[in-house]
Amino acid sequence: MGMKDKFQDQAEQWQQKAKGKMGQAEEQAKERGQQRGQRRDEEPERTRPQDEPDYDQDYQV
């Protein structure tokens, strides 16, 4: 095995590791997205407290 083959094999191994890690990262991102979606479904909608003024309305001076 020559030096060229040795370095080529090493580069291929690094490529395979990187592809594997990318696949894992994609799966984890999908899982996190699904978990966030589930949490949104479980949380009630946030409402404005009754004593808080409504700043969206125009004020008359």
Side-chain angles (χ1 to χ4, degrees), residues 9-26:
D9 289 343
Q10 190 177 28
E12 288 174 4
Q13 288 175 358
W14 288 340
Q15 252 183 344
Q16 292 300 321
K17 278 186 182 179
K19 286 180 182 179
K21 286 184 180 184
M22 285 291 293
Q24 288 176 350
E26 287 175 355

Side-chain angles (χ1 to χ4, degrees), residues 12-49:
E12 288 174 4
Q13 288 175 358
W14 288 340
Q15 252 183 344
Q16 292 300 321
K17 278 186 182 179
K19 286 180 182 179
K21 286 184 180 184
M22 285 291 293
Q24 288 176 350
E26 287 175 355
E27 288 176 19
Q28 289 173 351
K30 286 180 186 177
E31 289 175 10
R32 282 194 300 263
Q34 289 173 353
Q35 288 173 355
R36 286 183 183 155
Q38 289 173 353
R39 272 192 259 142
R40 284 187 188 141
D41 293 341
E42 293 172 1
E43 290 180 6
E45 281 192 36
R46 297 181 182 174
T47 57
R48 185 177 301 186

